[in-house]
Amino acid sequence: MAGIKDLARECGVSVATVSRALNGHPEVSVETRRQVQQAAERLGYRPSQSARALVRGRSDAVGLLWDSGYETAGRKHPFLLSLLVGLKQALSDVGRHLILLNVDVDRQGPRAYLDTARQFQVDGVIVMGVDDHRPALRELFESSLPCVAIDHDIAGPRACCVTSDNRAGAVEAVRHLHDLGHRRIATITGPVDLMPAVQRLRGFQQAVGELGLDLPDEYVQNGDFFMDSGYACGRRLAGLPKSRRPTAVFVAGDEMALGAMHAFADAGLDVPEDIAVVGFDDIEAASLVRPALTTVAQDSLALGTAAVSALLDFVDDRFGDRPAPESPILTPTRLVIRQSCGGGR
Amino acid sequence: MAGIKDLARECGVSVATVSRALNGHPEVSVETRRQVQQAAERLGYRPSQSARALVRGRSDAVGLLWDSGYETAGRKHPFLLSLLVGLKQALSDVGRHLILLNVDVDRQGPRAYLDTARQFQVDGVIVMGVDDHRPALRELFESSLPCVAIDHDIAGPRACCVTSDNRAGAVEAVRHLHDLGHRRIATITGPVDLMPAVQRLRGFQQAVGELGLDLPDEYVQNGDFFMDSGYACGRRLAGLPKSRRPTAVFVAGDEMALGAMHAFADAGLDVPEDIAVVGFDDIEAASLVRPALTTVAQDSLALGTAAVSALLDFVDDRFGDRPAPESPILTPTRLVIRQSCGGGR
DNA sequence: CTGAAAGCGCTTACAG
DNA sequence: CTGAAAGCGCTTACAG
């Protein structure tokens, strides 16, 4: 591995000049720069990340804090995984890398997140899929380390939140059902201590209100994002007397939506003939089942891009005097029409 | 952020002693070590990764090379994502971190993978989901950098491959169908330039041979791991005259299996009554559909653990004189019985 | 425009 | 058992 010294020798200049030439300092002569760049190319020179990070106090890497209990793996939050792809892509576009930080908060105590991030000198951290109530998170948000959480409503001097426009997505879904002629529209919610779940519920309520629809209590069923809860809620809706039974359901998560569809099938109801279903997230299974699920897709690339750019805004703000966004940064959703509401292709 | 100097001052010893105490060098006195450890705890001291990596020439991090074209995202190889969780977990167990290396081979040329890995001084790299034919991969495998590929059959002085025991998994699936009474068993394969696809096919052929079953040409349909190909192959099987139509299909990937099930439904065949289906991978959707898919599950944690430990074997072998495993390291699969073959719960 | 020198925060021979 | 010193590979004031 060629080091900067080899390169300097090769070019007959000092290491300082090599460094300046490669880092785009304006003072080096065009001729020198060209020569150094060519030699670097030729020798396959790459500056050592560690040396650079050590001397500059930053690493051009961002850390990812992500509690992925194994047992629950992809099962738990399938969407997180596509989020990861979005992040990777967004970082790739700005020439940074992602370090999956493994931190055991239970063993390392409340400063674990922060200390680990500093130890790696990451420029900032992105947080997703973690338990909201950890003191270690507070410690992190309240520090001066740039920090962006996806789907967690947090605040701090250099911390903000990025999330899909869950509310608007829910509104669009309900409007779609209304356009299709549905007037009795129910919902199955996610766990109401999760921000996306409450925003989707709010959007549902808002749309239902704006459209002047009836909303009996039993039209709001509480699930937990997993399939079994969707099934249970679906059974309850299917069990309503026909005259009060909803003709459509907005389900706040695809996995629950599939559960609900199974419940409807078991109750002898046809989807979409007897009851229409819209999900949320657009997980892989949504397009794999029959009838394929109409759903509100999150844009994981947009989310990743927004998260990265919010993070870099903090990083670029050397003095930390720019105020952090006070409300979540929202990313648009998109209604993907398939067969579960009829009206699809 | 407390540095090693602060800690040394606090304890009234030299930085050298602090370093030795914290790194478990045997020569420091128990008393000194205890004192240093306590002070480190108290001040929340964490050694700077960059400084350590710079001086030791290694980083305790492993790099991940993973081509995740965004458009294809989680869609393309859903299993890769759960693999990632397995890797993360396995690394966490050995106290290492994972760096997602973003390398643009097309722009950076054939040494891109290797150069990037060296630049970050990762202890080794894990490769998954990449295009087999890249010259940059060769360059990597043939180098002395420890390197483990998942599901890619590679070789090199310090490179090896880890993969599920695809062959055994296929055999188990076919035996299961045979045990259920099936004698006319077909298969839908993955793309035959992919190692897992050919191993699954070989396992299928082996089992069919051992069981003395007929294997007409049309019982081997070639797919590409995606749903549409599964559908097309399913149609062809369903279109066979009833007397020659298989009563069971071993499908080399879950997504294709779902496609095949749709084809069967469209042809008026009931699964599992008229035709039984076994898939491979156990993607999320497998347990979400109805009838739920019986499938050969890969163990992503085992895969991750095997990959990491193979990698660390290379790393620990300072002189590089231990020969690399010449054949792939195999990880067991597990048949998950659900409803698509009957006989399930 | 360029070079010599200091220094980032560690680890590790080398002395004692 | 411990300390002083060198050095890992860079960047960046400071001179010139």
Side-chain angles (χ1 to χ4, degrees), chain A residues 295-327:
Chain A
T295 189
V296 181
Q298 299 198 59
D299 183 342
S300 50
L301 179 54
L303 236 18
T305 306
V308 168
S309 95
L311 195 66
L312 296 188
D313 277 351
F314 288 130
V315 175
D316 293 341
D317 175 28
R318 307 305 304 244
F319 305 109
D321 49 5
R322 199 184 309 163
E326 72 298 352
S327 53

Side-chain angles (χ1 to χ4, degrees), chain A residues 244-325:
Chain A
R244 289 198 285 129
R245 193 205 299 146
T247 62
V249 195
F250 165 66
V251 187
D254 284 349
E255 202 172 314
M256 293 194 298
L258 300 183
M261 285 167 71
H262 296 328
F264 297 150
D266 288 351
L269 298 179
D270 181 81
V271 174
E273 274 309 303
D274 300 316
I275 190 159
V277 176
V278 189
F280 211 113
D281 285 346
D282 196 21
I283 64 174
E284 202 209 1
S287 60
L288 261 23
V289 297
R290 286 272 189 104
L293 186 63
T294 289
T295 189
V296 181
Q298 299 198 59
D299 183 342
S300 50
L301 179 54
L303 236 18
T305 306
V308 168
S309 95
L311 195 66
L312 296 188
D313 277 351
F314 288 130
V315 175
D316 293 341
D317 175 28
R318 307 305 304 244
F319 305 109
D321 49 5
R322 199 184 309 163

Side-chain angles (χ1 to χ4, degrees), chain A residues 78-94:
Chain A
F79 182 69
L80 288 185
L81 296 170
S82 75
L83 210 43
L84 192 59
V85 177
L87 277 178
K88 180 174 185 290
Q89 181 68 23
L91 284 167
S92 160
D93 291 345
V94 296

Side-chain angles (χ1 to χ4, degrees), chain A residues 101-320:
Chain A
L101 262 15
N102 273 134
V103 7
D104 185 340
V105 191
D106 298 327
R107 276 208 3 245
Q108 301 178 45
R111 292 185 46 96
Y113 286 138
L114 188 53
D115 285 348
T116 305
R118 293 218 199 278
Q119 174 175 20
F120 280 82
Q121 293 181 65
V122 292
D123 297 342
V125 297
I126 290 178
V127 179
M128 64 183 212
V130 296
D131 180 350
D132 265 322
H133 306 298
R134 305 215 127 128
L137 279 182
R138 282 244 137 282
E139 204 81 30
L140 185 65
F141 302 152
E142 286 166 0
S143 78
S144 60
L145 187 83
C147 175
V148 172
I150 300 181
D151 282 352
H152 292 278
D153 194 7
I154 62 155
R158 309 184 79 182
C160 73
C161 164
V162 167
T163 184
S164 282
D165 195 341
N166 291 290
R167 188 171 180 138
V171 168
E172 186 179 7
V174 174
R175 291 221 179 106
H176 176 66
L177 292 169
H178 185 265
D179 288 348
L180 257 22
H182 295 281
R183 295 300 177 264
R184 299 205 301 271
I185 306 179
T187 189
I188 299 178
T189 74
V192 287
D193 56 328
L194 260 35
M195 177 177 61
V198 346
Q199 292 304 321
R200 290 168 199 182
L201 175 56
R202 291 218 198 304
F204 170 80
Q205 291 167 326
Q206 173 189 332
V208 160
E210 288 170 356
L211 295 167
L213 305 179
D214 258 5
L215 187 58
D217 283 351
E218 64 267 30
Y219 275 22
V220 177
Q221 297 284 341
N222 294 303
D224 63 8
F225 276 146
F226 295 100
M227 183 164 76
D228 289 350
S229 75
Y231 186 88
C233 293
R235 285 236 67 131
R236 267 175 253 135
L237 293 173
L240 261 21
K242 178 144 195 246
S243 58
R244 289 198 285 129
R245 193 205 299 146
T247 62
V249 195
F250 165 66
V251 187
D254 284 349
E255 202 172 314
M256 293 194 298
L258 300 183
M261 285 167 71
H262 296 328
F264 297 150
D266 288 351
L269 298 179
D270 181 81
V271 174
E273 274 309 303
D274 300 316
I275 190 159
V277 176
V278 189
F280 211 113
D281 285 346
D282 196 21
I283 64 174
E284 202 209 1
S287 60
L288 261 23
V289 297
R290 286 272 189 104
L293 186 63
T294 289
T295 189
V296 181
Q298 299 198 59
D299 183 342
S300 50
L301 179 54
L303 236 18
T305 306
V308 168
S309 95
L311 195 66
L312 296 188
D313 277 351
F314 288 130
V315 175
D316 293 341
D317 175 28
R318 307 305 304 244
F319 305 109

